């Protein structure tokens, strides 16, 4: 925790900062092993009875959540479906705190019906506990048969971004678009966005498509699976490896030969394997393939390795340009191509890439870095369909300001601006990126592909 956030959590500090209009960040609730997914009740609403509402009731029931419904028409909509799902639905009592507000708007047919957002959310926002969640579930606009419904669904993105900036005490708001027939693939995304695992993810929307259903052990969803993480010796990469190992994966950590000692120590702690390889080397894809063959291939590939070499374009050297592009983008394409050619992606494998908000919003002195990370986003979006033919998914996370050794070296004023210029008024932690990757890498997330999820606390930079 940075000093400003610690000061803001003291009684005197909070009062002082509020009196002068300064942000007052709170200590975000993050996942703890053996703590229930949903500790407080979830208030569920539905604009109409739909297959999505039935799926949400099933997910909440499987998660052993206490489910409440708003009084009135929204409560009447839920009771018949709750009986079918075999779950009980209660009502909110005065003074009771809620963990989340979950609203199914997939049945909305035109923009006039979006008033349900006001009717459902407004009376209950003040009841959200610290680090509360608002999650909407709708239909992908491009899949709607009627233009008026498509308009209403697209409007949800502006709403969720605005609401995310209004929530306080570590609250977040997110949107899930689920295609018709893909309701069975909602589990992992609903669980993620409702839980403390998504502590630093807000104002995001993802698309869930129909695919083969997979129901893992939710405590260890990666048990028996092989995960390769590049840049795994320290920082975000080490956090990714740790979370994936926690979830049951056999982790193969990769980093450059000069980091071999640190990498070996990190992997030994996780009972994983260390692979010292320079991913820009011509034979790097073959070395990686050789390491994966004894395991029968890879279930989850995390492209995390990356560097910055900052200069304005007028002063940029070819060496800086080439290093950043080769490590951050071109090496990933070469590795993917080789593993595909060698058929080392197992059926249902997932690829998760680490992009950056610099690839979305840009950053002065980072034309090479912004280019490479925007290229990663382009790769994810363009390769989703070709990889689907091989039953492989590909998604990306785009971190904002994350507290690492690299950001600790940034000059004080710039560092503080990076920390405060988001809706949560603080920097994220490496574990926030790792938890998001673990969600995208979960076998139950096979309905997610081509998505780019910002892990930035709703940074004010970019879209």
């Amino acid at each position: 925790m940075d000093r400003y956030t610690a000061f803001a959590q003291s009684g005197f500090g909070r009062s002082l900062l509020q009196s002068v209009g300064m942000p007052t960040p709170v200590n975000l609730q993050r996942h703890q092993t053996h703590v229930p997914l949903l500790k407080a009740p979830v208030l569920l609403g539905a604009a109409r009875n739909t297959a999505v509402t039935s799926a949400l009731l099933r997910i909440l029931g499987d998660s052993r959540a206490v489910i409440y419904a708003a009084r009135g028409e929204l409560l009447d909509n839920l009771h018949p479906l709750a009986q079918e799902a075999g779950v009980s639905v209660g009502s909110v009592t005065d003074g009771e705190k809620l963990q989340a507000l979950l609203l199914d708007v997939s049945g909305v047919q035109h923009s006039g019906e979006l008033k349900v957002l006001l009717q459902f959310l407004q009376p209950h926002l003040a009841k959200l506990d610290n680090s509360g969640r608002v999650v909407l579930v709708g239909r992908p606009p491009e899949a709607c048969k009627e233009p008026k419904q498509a308009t209403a669904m697209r409007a949800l993105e502006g709403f969720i971004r605005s609401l995310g900036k209004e929530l306080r005490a570590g609250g977040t708001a997110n949107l899930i678009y689920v295609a018709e027939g893909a309701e069975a693939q909602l589990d992992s995304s609903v669980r993620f966005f409702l839980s403390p695992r998504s502590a630093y993810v807000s104002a995001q929307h993802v698309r869930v498509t129909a695919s083969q259903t997979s129901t893992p052990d939710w405590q260890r969803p990666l048990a028996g699976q092989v995960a390769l993480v590049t840049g795994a010796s320290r920082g975000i990469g080490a956090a990714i490896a740790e979370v994936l190992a926690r979830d049951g994966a056999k982790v193969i950590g990769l980093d450059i030969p000069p980091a071999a000692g640190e990498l070996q120590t990190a992997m030994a702690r996780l009972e994983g394997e260390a692979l010292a390889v320079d991913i820009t080397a011509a034979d790097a894809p073959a070395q990686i393939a050789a390491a994966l063959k004894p395991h029968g291939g890879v279930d989850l590939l995390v492209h995390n390795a990356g560097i910055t070499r900052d200069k304005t374009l007028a002063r940029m050297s070819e060496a800086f340009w080439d290093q950043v592009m080769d490590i951050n983008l071109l090496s990933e394409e070469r590795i993917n191509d080789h593993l595909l050619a060698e058929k080392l992606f197992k059926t249902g494998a997932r690829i998760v890439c680490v992009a950056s908000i610099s690839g979305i919003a840009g950053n002065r002195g980072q034309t090479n870095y912004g280019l490479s990370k925007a290229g990663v986003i382009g790769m994810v979006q363009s390769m989703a369909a070709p990889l689907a033919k091989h039953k492989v998914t590909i998604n990306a996370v785009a971190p904002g300001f994350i507290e690492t050794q690299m950001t600790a070296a940034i000059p004080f004023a710039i560092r503080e601006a990076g920390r405060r210029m988001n809706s949560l008024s603080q920097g994220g932690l490496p574990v926030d990126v790792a938890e998001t990757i673990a969600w995208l890498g979960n076998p139950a997330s096979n309905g997610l592909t081509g998505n780019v999820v910002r892990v930035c606390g709703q940074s004010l930079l970019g879209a």
Side-chain angles (χ1 to χ4, degrees), residues 185-203:
Q185 278 73 50
L186 270 171
D187 293 61
S188 69
S189 297
V190 170
R191 288 169 181 262
F192 175 73
F193 283 123
L194 289 182
S195 77
R197 296 177 190 265
S198 59
Y200 204 60
V201 178
S202 190

Side-chain angles (χ1 to χ4, degrees), residues 237-258:
I240 295 167
E242 185 172 346
V243 169
L244 298 184
R246 178 204 68 191
D247 284 356
K250 171 71 173 182
V251 177
I252 301 174
L254 181 152
D255 218 317
I256 55 176

Side-chain angles (χ1 to χ4, degrees), residues 105 108 110-111 114 117 136 138-144 146-161 175 177 205 207 463:
V105 290
V108 165
H110 58 79
S111 298
L114 290 174
L117 297 167
L136 306 182
R139 296 297 191 190
E142 66 276 8
C144 294
E146 296 297 329
K148 285 184 171 57
Q149 186 186 27
T151 300
M153 293 298 108
R154 178 59 180 83
L156 296 172
E157 295 177 32
F159 175 83
I160 213 73
R161 288 181 183 132
L175 167 63
Y177 286 129
H205 64 275
R207 283 167 166 76

Side-chain angles (χ1 to χ4, degrees), residues 90-249:
S91 298
V92 185
T93 59
D94 291 340
E96 190 170 13
K97 288 295 186 180
L98 300 169
Q99 178 162 342
L101 305 176
L102 176 59
L103 179 61
D104 171 16
V105 290
S106 63
V108 165
Q109 298 300 305
H110 58 79
S111 298
E113 294 183 348
L114 290 174
K115 194 170 182 179
V116 69
L117 297 167
L118 176 70
Q119 294 167 335
F120 176 71
L121 295 172
Q122 188 183 63
H124 301 109
L125 283 173
K127 299 174 183 176
L128 280 176
D129 206 349
N130 289 348
S131 295
R133 302 285 184 258
V134 175
V135 179
L136 306 182
V137 185
R139 296 297 191 190
E142 66 276 8
C144 294
K145 296 177 183 178
E146 296 297 329
K148 285 184 171 57
Q149 186 186 27
T151 300
M153 293 298 108
R154 178 59 180 83
L156 296 172
E157 295 177 32
F159 175 83
I160 213 73
R161 288 181 183 132
S162 299
L163 181 60
K165 295 177 179 179
E166 295 180 7
L167 296 177
R168 295 292 180 262
T172 65
N174 290 288
L175 167 63
I176 304 171
Y177 286 129
V178 58
E180 285 193 45
E183 292 82 9
Q185 278 73 50
L186 270 171
D187 293 61
S188 69
S189 297
V190 170
R191 288 169 181 262
F192 175 73
F193 283 123
L194 289 182
S195 77
R197 296 177 190 265
S198 59
Y200 204 60
V201 178
S202 190
Q204 299 303 291
H205 64 275
V206 297
R207 283 167 166 76
V208 178
T209 57
S211 66
Q212 185 177 354
T213 302
S214 175
T215 305
D217 173 356
W218 291 106
Q219 296 300 316
R220 290 174 61 80
L222 297 176
Q225 302 214 340
V226 176
L228 173 66
V229 181
T230 67
S233 68
R234 62 170 64 185
I236 292 173
I240 295 167
E242 185 172 346
V243 169
L244 298 184
R246 178 204 68 191
D247 284 356

